[in-house]
Short mmCIF file of all heavy atoms in Angstrom, two decimals:
data_model
loop_
_atom_site.label_atom_id
_atom_site.label_comp_id
_atom_site.label_asym_id
_atom_site.label_seq_id
_atom_site.Cartn_x
_atom_site.Cartn_y
_atom_site.Cartn_z
N ASP N 149 -15.77 -3.99 54.04
CA ASP N 149 -16.10 -4.89 55.15
C ASP N 149 -14.86 -5.62 55.65
O ASP N 149 -14.65 -5.77 56.87
CB ASP N 149 -17.17 -5.89 54.72
CG ASP N 149 -18.50 -5.22 54.42
OD1 ASP N 149 -18.72 -4.09 54.92
OD2 ASP N 149 -19.33 -5.81 53.68
N LEU N 150 -14.03 -6.08 54.72
CA LEU N 150 -12.81 -6.77 55.11
C LEU N 150 -11.85 -5.84 55.86
O LEU N 150 -11.18 -6.26 56.81
CB LEU N 150 -12.12 -7.35 53.87
CG LEU N 150 -12.83 -8.52 53.19
CD1 LEU N 150 -12.12 -8.90 51.89
CD2 LEU N 150 -12.90 -9.73 54.12
N MET N 151 -11.79 -4.59 55.45
CA MET N 151 -10.95 -3.63 56.16
C MET N 151 -11.45 -3.43 57.58
O MET N 151 -10.66 -3.34 58.55
CB MET N 151 -10.93 -2.30 55.41
CG MET N 151 -10.24 -2.35 54.05
SD MET N 151 -8.48 -2.74 54.19
CE MET N 151 -7.89 -1.26 55.00
N ASP N 152 -12.79 -3.36 57.76
CA ASP N 152 -13.34 -3.22 59.11
C ASP N 152 -13.02 -4.43 59.97
O ASP N 152 -12.66 -4.31 61.16
CB ASP N 152 -14.85 -3.02 59.02
CG ASP N 152 -15.22 -1.69 58.38
OD1 ASP N 152 -14.37 -0.77 58.40
OD2 ASP N 152 -16.35 -1.58 57.85
N VAL N 153 -13.16 -5.64 59.39
CA VAL N 153 -12.84 -6.85 60.13
C VAL N 153 -11.36 -6.86 60.52
O VAL N 153 -10.99 -7.23 61.64
CB VAL N 153 -13.19 -8.10 59.29
CG1 VAL N 153 -12.69 -9.36 59.96
CG2 VAL N 153 -14.69 -8.18 59.08
N GLY N 154 -10.50 -6.43 59.60
CA GLY N 154 -9.07 -6.39 59.91
C GLY N 154 -8.77 -5.42 61.05
O GLY N 154 -7.94 -5.72 61.94
N ASN N 155 -9.44 -4.28 61.07
CA ASN N 155 -9.22 -3.33 62.16
C ASN N 155 -9.69 -3.91 63.49
O ASN N 155 -9.03 -3.72 64.53
CB ASN N 155 -9.97 -2.02 61.85
CG ASN N 155 -9.36 -1.29 60.68
OD1 ASN N 155 -8.16 -1.39 60.41
ND2 ASN N 155 -10.17 -0.52 59.96
N GLU N 156 -10.82 -4.60 63.49
CA GLU N 156 -11.30 -5.22 64.72
C GLU N 156 -10.33 -6.29 65.23
O GLU N 156 -10.08 -6.41 66.43
CB GLU N 156 -12.68 -5.84 64.48
CG GLU N 156 -13.78 -4.81 64.23
CD GLU N 156 -15.12 -5.45 63.96
OE1 GLU N 156 -15.16 -6.72 63.96
OE2 GLU N 156 -16.10 -4.72 63.74
N ILE N 157 -9.76 -7.05 64.29
CA ILE N 157 -8.79 -8.07 64.69
C ILE N 157 -7.55 -7.44 65.30
O ILE N 157 -7.02 -7.89 66.32
CB ILE N 157 -8.42 -8.95 63.48
CG1 ILE N 157 -9.64 -9.79 63.04
CG2 ILE N 157 -7.24 -9.86 63.80
CD1 ILE N 157 -9.41 -10.56 61.76
N GLN N 158 -7.07 -6.35 64.72
CA GLN N 158 -5.90 -5.66 65.25
C GLN N 158 -6.17 -5.11 66.63
O GLN N 158 -5.32 -5.19 67.54
CB GLN N 158 -5.49 -4.54 64.28
CG GLN N 158 -4.97 -5.00 62.95
CD GLN N 158 -3.69 -5.81 63.09
OE1 GLN N 158 -2.87 -5.57 63.98
NE2 GLN N 158 -3.53 -6.80 62.22
N GLU N 159 -7.36 -4.54 66.82
CA GLU N 159 -7.70 -4.03 68.14
C GLU N 159 -7.77 -5.14 69.18
O GLU N 159 -7.33 -4.99 70.32
CB GLU N 159 -9.03 -3.29 68.07
CG GLU N 159 -8.97 -1.98 67.28
CD GLU N 159 -10.32 -1.31 67.18
OE1 GLU N 159 -11.29 -1.87 67.75
OE2 GLU N 159 -10.42 -0.23 66.56
N SER N 160 -8.32 -6.30 68.77
CA SER N 160 -8.42 -7.42 69.70
C SER N 160 -7.05 -7.96 70.08
O SER N 160 -6.79 -8.29 71.23
CB SER N 160 -9.28 -8.52 69.07
OG SER N 160 -9.35 -9.65 69.92
N LEU N 161 -6.15 -8.06 69.08
CA LEU N 161 -4.81 -8.59 69.37
C LEU N 161 -3.97 -7.62 70.20
O LEU N 161 -3.08 -8.05 70.94
CB LEU N 161 -4.09 -8.89 68.04
CG LEU N 161 -4.66 -10.05 67.21
CD1 LEU N 161 -3.92 -10.16 65.90
CD2 LEU N 161 -4.57 -11.35 67.98
N SER N 162 -4.22 -6.35 70.08
CA SER N 162 -3.43 -5.36 70.83
C SER N 162 -3.99 -5.06 72.21
O SER N 162 -3.50 -4.19 72.91
CB SER N 162 -3.38 -4.05 70.02
OG SER N 162 -4.67 -3.51 69.84
N ARG N 163 -5.02 -5.80 72.65
CA ARG N 163 -5.63 -5.57 73.96
C ARG N 163 -4.70 -6.08 75.06
O ARG N 163 -4.10 -7.16 74.93
CB ARG N 163 -6.97 -6.29 74.03
CG ARG N 163 -7.75 -6.03 75.32
CD ARG N 163 -9.05 -6.79 75.29
NE ARG N 163 -9.85 -6.42 74.12
CZ ARG N 163 -10.93 -7.09 73.73
NH1 ARG N 163 -11.32 -8.17 74.41
NH2 ARG N 163 -11.60 -6.70 72.67
N ALA N 164 -4.53 -5.33 76.16
CA ALA N 164 -3.67 -5.71 77.27
C ALA N 164 -4.43 -6.63 78.22
O ALA N 164 -5.65 -6.50 78.39
CB ALA N 164 -3.19 -4.47 78.02
N TYR N 165 -3.70 -7.58 78.85
CA TYR N 165 -4.30 -8.54 79.76
C TYR N 165 -4.00 -8.17 81.21
O TYR N 165 -2.92 -7.62 81.52
CB TYR N 165 -3.75 -9.95 79.49
CG TYR N 165 -4.07 -10.45 78.10
CD1 TYR N 165 -3.13 -10.40 77.09
CD2 TYR N 165 -5.33 -10.97 77.80
CE1 TYR N 165 -3.42 -10.85 75.82
CE2 TYR N 165 -5.63 -11.42 76.53
CZ TYR N 165 -4.67 -11.36 75.55
OH TYR N 165 -4.96 -11.80 74.28
N ASP N 166 -4.95 -8.48 82.13
CA ASP N 166 -4.81 -8.30 83.57
C ASP N 166 -4.49 -6.85 83.93
O ASP N 166 -3.79 -6.57 84.91
CB ASP N 166 -3.72 -9.21 84.14
CG ASP N 166 -4.06 -10.68 83.96
OD1 ASP N 166 -5.27 -11.00 83.92
OD2 ASP N 166 -3.12 -11.50 83.86
N VAL N 167 -4.89 -5.95 83.17
CA VAL N 167 -4.69 -4.53 83.47
C VAL N 167 -6.04 -3.88 83.48
O VAL N 167 -6.76 -3.90 82.47
CB VAL N 167 -3.78 -3.85 82.41
CG1 VAL N 167 -3.66 -2.36 82.71
CG2 VAL N 167 -2.41 -4.50 82.41
N PRO N 168 -6.44 -3.33 84.62
CA PRO N 168 -7.77 -2.68 84.66
C PRO N 168 -7.79 -1.49 83.73
O PRO N 168 -6.82 -0.74 83.62
CB PRO N 168 -7.92 -2.28 86.12
CG PRO N 168 -6.52 -2.21 86.65
CD PRO N 168 -5.74 -3.24 85.91
N GLU N 169 -8.92 -1.35 83.05
CA GLU N 169 -9.04 -0.25 82.11
C GLU N 169 -9.20 1.08 82.83
O GLU N 169 -8.65 2.09 82.40
CB GLU N 169 -10.22 -0.51 81.17
CG GLU N 169 -10.04 -1.73 80.30
CD GLU N 169 -11.21 -1.92 79.34
OE1 GLU N 169 -12.17 -1.13 79.44
OE2 GLU N 169 -11.17 -2.87 78.53
N ASP N 170 -9.94 1.09 83.96
CA ASP N 170 -10.18 2.33 84.71
C ASP N 170 -9.34 2.30 85.98
O ASP N 170 -9.62 1.54 86.93
CB ASP N 170 -11.66 2.47 85.06
CG ASP N 170 -12.52 2.57 83.80
OD1 ASP N 170 -11.98 3.05 82.78
OD2 ASP N 170 -13.70 2.14 83.83
N VAL N 171 -8.29 3.07 86.06
CA VAL N 171 -7.39 3.14 87.21
C VAL N 171 -7.44 4.56 87.73
O VAL N 171 -7.28 5.52 86.97
CB VAL N 171 -5.95 2.75 86.82
CG1 VAL N 171 -5.04 2.84 88.03
CG2 VAL N 171 -5.94 1.33 86.27
N ASP N 172 -7.59 4.70 89.08
CA ASP N 172 -7.63 6.01 89.70
C ASP N 172 -6.22 6.57 89.77
O ASP N 172 -5.28 5.91 90.24
CB ASP N 172 -8.25 5.90 91.11
CG ASP N 172 -8.54 7.28 91.68
OD1 ASP N 172 -8.27 8.28 90.98
OD2 ASP N 172 -9.03 7.34 92.82
N GLU N 173 -6.04 7.77 89.31
CA GLU N 173 -4.71 8.39 89.31
C GLU N 173 -4.22 8.65 90.73
O GLU N 173 -3.02 8.56 91.00
CB GLU N 173 -4.78 9.70 88.52
CG GLU N 173 -3.41 10.34 88.29
CD GLU N 173 -3.50 11.56 87.40
OE1 GLU N 173 -4.60 11.86 86.91
OE2 GLU N 173 -2.46 12.21 87.22
N ALA N 174 -5.12 8.93 91.68
CA ALA N 174 -4.71 9.16 93.07
C ALA N 174 -4.14 7.90 93.68
O ALA N 174 -3.13 7.93 94.41
CB ALA N 174 -5.91 9.66 93.89
N ASP N 175 -4.74 6.74 93.36
CA ASP N 175 -4.20 5.47 93.86
C ASP N 175 -2.80 5.22 93.32
O ASP N 175 -1.92 4.71 94.04
CB ASP N 175 -5.14 4.33 93.48
CG ASP N 175 -6.49 4.45 94.18
OD1 ASP N 175 -6.56 5.16 95.20
OD2 ASP N 175 -7.46 3.84 93.66
N LEU N 176 -2.57 5.53 92.05
CA LEU N 176 -1.24 5.34 91.47
C LEU N 176 -0.21 6.24 92.15
O LEU N 176 0.92 5.82 92.43
CB LEU N 176 -1.30 5.64 89.97
CG LEU N 176 -2.08 4.65 89.12
CD1 LEU N 176 -2.11 5.11 87.66
CD2 LEU N 176 -1.48 3.25 89.20
N ASP N 177 -0.57 7.48 92.46
CA ASP N 177 0.37 8.38 93.15
C ASP N 177 0.71 7.86 94.54
O ASP N 177 1.87 7.92 94.99
CB ASP N 177 -0.24 9.77 93.24
CG ASP N 177 -0.34 10.44 91.87
OD1 ASP N 177 0.43 10.03 90.98
OD2 ASP N 177 -1.17 11.35 91.70
N ALA N 178 -0.30 7.36 95.28
CA ALA N 178 -0.05 6.84 96.63
C ALA N 178 0.87 5.63 96.59
O ALA N 178 1.80 5.48 97.41
CB ALA N 178 -1.39 6.47 97.30
N GLU N 179 0.66 4.74 95.63
CA GLU N 179 1.51 3.54 95.50
C GLU N 179 2.94 3.92 95.15
O GLU N 179 3.89 3.36 95.67
CB GLU N 179 0.91 2.62 94.44
CG GLU N 179 1.65 1.28 94.32
CD GLU N 179 0.98 0.35 93.33
OE1 GLU N 179 -0.11 0.71 92.83
OE2 GLU N 179 1.55 -0.72 93.06
N LEU N 180 3.08 4.92 94.28
CA LEU N 180 4.42 5.36 93.90
C LEU N 180 5.15 5.98 95.09
O LEU N 180 6.35 5.75 95.30
CB LEU N 180 4.33 6.37 92.74
CG LEU N 180 5.65 6.90 92.20
CD1 LEU N 180 6.47 5.75 91.62
CD2 LEU N 180 5.39 7.94 91.12
N GLU N 181 4.46 6.73 95.92
CA GLU N 181 5.07 7.35 97.11
C GLU N 181 5.49 6.29 98.12
O GLU N 181 6.56 6.37 98.73
CB GLU N 181 4.08 8.33 97.73
CG GLU N 181 4.66 9.12 98.88
CD GLU N 181 3.67 10.14 99.40
OE1 GLU N 181 2.58 10.26 98.81
OE2 GLU N 181 3.99 10.81 100.41
N ALA N 182 4.66 5.25 98.28
CA ALA N 182 4.99 4.17 99.19
C ALA N 182 6.24 3.44 98.74
O ALA N 182 7.11 3.08 99.55
CB ALA N 182 3.81 3.21 99.31
N LEU N 183 6.39 3.20 97.47
CA LEU N 183 7.59 2.55 96.96
C LEU N 183 8.82 3.39 97.22
O LEU N 183 9.90 2.88 97.56
CB LEU N 183 7.44 2.29 95.45
CG LEU N 183 6.44 1.20 95.06
CD1 LEU N 183 6.29 1.15 93.53
CD2 LEU N 183 6.90 -0.17 95.57
N GLY N 184 8.70 4.70 97.10
CA GLY N 184 9.85 5.57 97.36
C GLY N 184 10.27 5.53 98.82
O GLY N 184 11.47 5.48 99.14
N GLU N 185 9.30 5.53 99.76
CA GLU N 185 9.64 5.47 101.18
C GLU N 185 10.29 4.14 101.53
O GLU N 185 11.24 4.07 102.32
CB GLU N 185 8.36 5.67 101.99
CG GLU N 185 7.80 7.09 101.88
CD GLU N 185 6.50 7.24 102.64
OE1 GLU N 185 6.02 6.20 103.17
OE2 GLU N 185 5.97 8.37 102.71
N GLU N 186 9.83 3.06 100.95
CA GLU N 186 10.41 1.75 101.21
C GLU N 186 11.86 1.69 100.74
O GLU N 186 12.72 1.14 101.43
CB GLU N 186 9.57 0.67 100.52
CG GLU N 186 10.05 -0.75 100.80
CD GLU N 186 9.16 -1.77 100.13
OE1 GLU N 186 8.12 -1.38 99.56
OE2 GLU N 186 9.51 -2.96 100.16
N THR N 187 12.14 2.28 99.62
CA THR N 187 13.51 2.28 99.10
C THR N 187 14.43 3.08 100.02
O THR N 187 15.57 2.67 100.31
CB THR N 187 13.53 2.87 97.70
OG1 THR N 187 12.66 2.10 96.86
CG2 THR N 187 14.92 2.83 97.08
N MET N 188 13.96 4.24 100.49
CA MET N 188 14.78 5.06 101.40
C MET N 188 15.04 4.34 102.72
O MET N 188 16.14 4.39 103.28
CB MET N 188 14.07 6.39 101.65
CG MET N 188 14.01 7.29 100.42
SD MET N 188 13.08 8.81 100.73
CE MET N 188 14.12 9.52 102.02
N PHE N 189 14.05 3.63 103.23
CA PHE N 189 14.21 2.90 104.49
C PHE N 189 15.26 1.81 104.37
O PHE N 189 16.11 1.64 105.25
CB PHE N 189 12.86 2.32 104.92
CG PHE N 189 12.93 1.48 106.17
CD1 PHE N 189 13.03 2.10 107.43
CD2 PHE N 189 12.89 0.09 106.12
CE1 PHE N 189 13.11 1.33 108.58
CE2 PHE N 189 12.97 -0.66 107.26
CZ PHE N 189 13.08 -0.05 108.52
N GLU N 190 15.24 1.07 103.30
CA GLU N 190 16.21 -0.01 103.10
C GLU N 190 17.63 0.52 102.99
O GLU N 190 18.58 -0.05 103.51
CB GLU N 190 15.84 -0.82 101.87
CG GLU N 190 14.57 -1.64 102.04
CD GLU N 190 14.21 -2.39 100.78
OE1 GLU N 190 14.91 -2.19 99.75
OE2 GLU N 190 13.25 -3.18 100.79
N SER N 191 17.80 1.65 102.33
CA SER N 191 19.14 2.21 102.18
C SER N 191 19.68 2.76 103.50
O SER N 191 20.88 2.76 103.74
CB SER N 191 19.11 3.31 101.12
OG SER N 191 18.24 4.36 101.51
N SER N 192 18.80 3.27 104.36
CA SER N 192 19.26 3.84 105.65
C SER N 192 19.61 2.74 106.66
O SER N 192 20.45 2.92 107.52
CB SER N 192 18.17 4.75 106.22
OG SER N 192 16.99 3.99 106.51
N MET N 193 18.98 1.61 106.59
CA MET N 193 19.26 0.53 107.53
C MET N 193 20.65 -0.04 107.30
O MET N 193 21.38 -0.32 108.24
CB MET N 193 18.21 -0.56 107.39
CG MET N 193 16.81 -0.16 107.88
SD MET N 193 16.77 0.21 109.64
CE MET N 193 17.08 -1.44 110.30
N GLY N 194 21.06 -0.23 106.08
CA GLY N 194 22.39 -0.76 105.76
C GLY N 194 22.61 -2.12 106.35
O GLY N 194 21.78 -3.02 106.22
N GLU N 195 23.78 -2.30 107.12
CA GLU N 195 24.12 -3.59 107.69
C GLU N 195 23.27 -3.92 108.90
O GLU N 195 23.15 -5.06 109.29
CB GLU N 195 25.59 -3.61 108.08
CG GLU N 195 26.52 -3.51 106.89
CD GLU N 195 27.97 -3.54 107.34
OE1 GLU N 195 28.22 -3.57 108.55
OE2 GLU N 195 28.84 -3.56 106.43
N SER N 196 22.68 -2.88 109.56
CA SER N 196 21.88 -3.15 110.76
C SER N 196 20.64 -3.96 110.45
O SER N 196 20.04 -4.54 111.32
CB SER N 196 21.48 -1.83 111.44
OG SER N 196 20.69 -1.07 110.54
N ALA N 197 20.28 -3.97 109.23
CA ALA N 197 19.12 -4.75 108.85
C ALA N 197 19.41 -6.23 108.76
O ALA N 197 18.51 -7.03 108.53
CB ALA N 197 18.56 -4.25 107.51
#
Side-chain angles (χ1 to χ4, degrees):
D149 294 339
L150 290 174
M151 293 296 293
D152 293 337
V153 172
N155 292 331
E156 292 178 0
I157 293 173
Q158 293 297 328
E159 291 178 0
S160 178
L161 292 176
S162 61
R163 184 181 303 169
Y165 298 100
D166 297 332
V167 177
E169 296 182 356
D170 297 332
V171 179
D172 190 1
E173 188 175 356
D175 295 340
L176 291 177
D177 291 337
E179 185 176 354
L180 182 62
E181 186 176 356
L183 289 175
E185 292 177 355
E186 183 178 354
T187 302
M188 292 177 62
F189 176 77
E190 291 178 355
S191 61
S192 63
M193 290 297 292
E195 295 180 356
S196 61

